[in-house]
């Protein structure tokens, strides 16, 4: 799978670890930065990851900041992005299966690298169920986006 990944300074180190993990699993990883741990702004990386998805260069995105929250808020401002913070494997796969989540946001000050790898794997290996009830709800979410 083609996966875009980005992080601010708070998430830089975990991003590096997750990038190596994903490559080892055979995925193509588009790293949009940051490329060091100097202070940077999470909205820049949310925009860059969303851009890769919007341009169909990536199917999924991963954002890492200190808590995951700032990056998630920024990512959800971008049309077509359905981002969520998830630090557990259940919501990481169910968020995709039921809600078509396409960006996973992680907080590097909350989660350790080994659990983060399991959460990322649950997210990446999950597929939207396409069940009618979930399609209907997704349509309603889309309608909200379209109305603004
Ligand atoms: C940066 O210090 C921190 O605020 C940021 O990484 C993130 O946690 C925001 O949600």
């Amino acid at each position: 799978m083609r996966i875009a990944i980005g992080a601010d300074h708070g998430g830089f180190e975990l991003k590096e670890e997750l990038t190596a993990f994903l490559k080892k699993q055979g995925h193509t990883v588009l790293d949009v930065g940051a490329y060091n741990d100097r202070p940077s702004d999470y909205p820049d990386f949310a925009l860059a990851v969303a851009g890769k998805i919007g341009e169909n260069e990536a199917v999924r995105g991963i954002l890492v900041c200190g808590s995951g929250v700032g990056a998630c808020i920024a990512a959800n401002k971008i049309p077509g992005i359905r981002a969520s913070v998830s630090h557990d494997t259940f919501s990481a796969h169910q968020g995709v299966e039921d809600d078509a989540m396409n960006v996973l946001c992680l907080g590097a000050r909350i989660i350790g690298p080994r659990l983060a790898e399991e959460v990322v794997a649950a997210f990446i290996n999950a597929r939207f169920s396409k069940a009618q009830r979930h399609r209907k709800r997704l349509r309603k979410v889309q309608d909200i986006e379209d109305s603004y």
Side-chain angles (χ1 to χ4, degrees):
M1 184 183 281
R2 292 177 71 81
I3 302 156
I5 191 165
D8 69 357
H9 55 288
F12 170 72
E13 205 173 306
L14 182 57
K15 171 178 71 69
E16 297 299 291
E17 297 205 41
L18 292 174
T19 299
F21 170 73
L22 288 166
K23 285 182 176 171
K24 213 166 138 190
Q25 305 283 312
H27 297 289
T28 301
V29 183
L30 310 176
D31 184 350
V32 301
Y35 303 116
N36 56 57
D37 63 2
R38 286 197 294 277
S40 57
D41 303 325
Y42 59 77
D44 298 338
F45 307 104
L47 203 52
V49 164
K52 295 291 182 200
I53 294 171
E55 291 154 16
N56 288 322
E57 285 185 50
V59 180
R60 301 270 176 90
I62 297 171
L63 285 164
V64 194
C65 65
S67 64
V69 174
C72 186
I73 289 171
N76 278 313
K77 298 290 181 196
I78 300 157
I81 298 302
R82 295 174 297 275
S84 181
V85 176
S86 172
H87 293 126
D88 67 277
T89 56
F90 177 77
S91 59
H93 70 77
Q94 203 211 39
V96 176
E97 292 157 359
D98 291 10
D99 313 318
M101 171 171 66
N102 56 7
V103 174
L104 171 70
C105 303
L106 295 167
R109 294 173 185 154
I110 298 168
I111 192 169
R114 296 295 83 82
L115 177 56
E117 287 175 359
E118 291 190 17
V119 171
V120 162
F123 168 64
I124 293 303
N125 293 327
R127 299 290 178 268
F128 180 52
S129 74
K130 297 186 180 166
Q132 198 50 45
R133 66 189 187 284
H134 296 311
R135 282 181 188 274
K136 184 181 108 190
R137 292 162 191 157
L138 194 58
R139 183 69 248 165
K140 289 190 176 190
V141 171
Q142 187 65 50
D143 287 347
I144 292 170
E145 186 174 288
D146 293 347
S147 71
Y148 283 89

